[in-house]
Amino acid sequence: VHDGGELATGECYLAMEFFDGRTLTKLLQAEGWLAAARALAIAAAAQETLFAAHAARVVHRDIKPDNILVGAGDA
């Protein structure tokens, strides 16, 4: 997250880096079942990311396929 705040209208915003990819939900909708090696690679990357977040004392609290991003090169 690069910035965040509240607009004059009362709406909140977050400004984040552009991510070229899609959610795990969209990937699964488009392709169906994934090969085991690919699924494990995505799960391992998600686990590493969560481990780093927890080490920085950040708790996500909403882990689900809609919130797991898969890069265009990984998808």
Side-chain angles (χ1 to χ4, degrees), residues 1 4 8 13 16-17 22-24 29-30 32-33 37 40 42 44 48 51-52 55 57 60-61 65 70 72 75:
V1 175
Y13 72 90
M16 301 185 303
E17 181 178 345
R22 56 187 164 175
T23 67
L24 181 55
Q29 288 171 343
W33 289 94
L40 287 171
I42 292 170
E48 288 175 24
F51 182 80
R57 303 183 54 86
H60 189 285
R61 296 184 58 166
V70 182

Side-chain angles (χ1 to χ4, degrees), residues 50-59:
L50 287 171
F51 182 80
H54 288 180
R57 303 183 54 86
V58 174
V59 179

Side-chain angles (χ1 to χ4, degrees), residues 12-52:
C12 295
Y13 72 90
L14 291 176
M16 301 185 303
E17 181 178 345
F18 173 75
F19 180 81
D20 188 17
R22 56 187 164 175
T23 67
L24 181 55
T25 297
K26 295 285 186 189
L27 175 67
L28 293 171
Q29 288 171 343
E31 299 187 18
W33 289 94
L34 303 178
R38 189 171 177 202
L40 287 171
I42 292 170
Q47 181 270 330
E48 288 175 24
T49 302
L50 287 171
F51 182 80

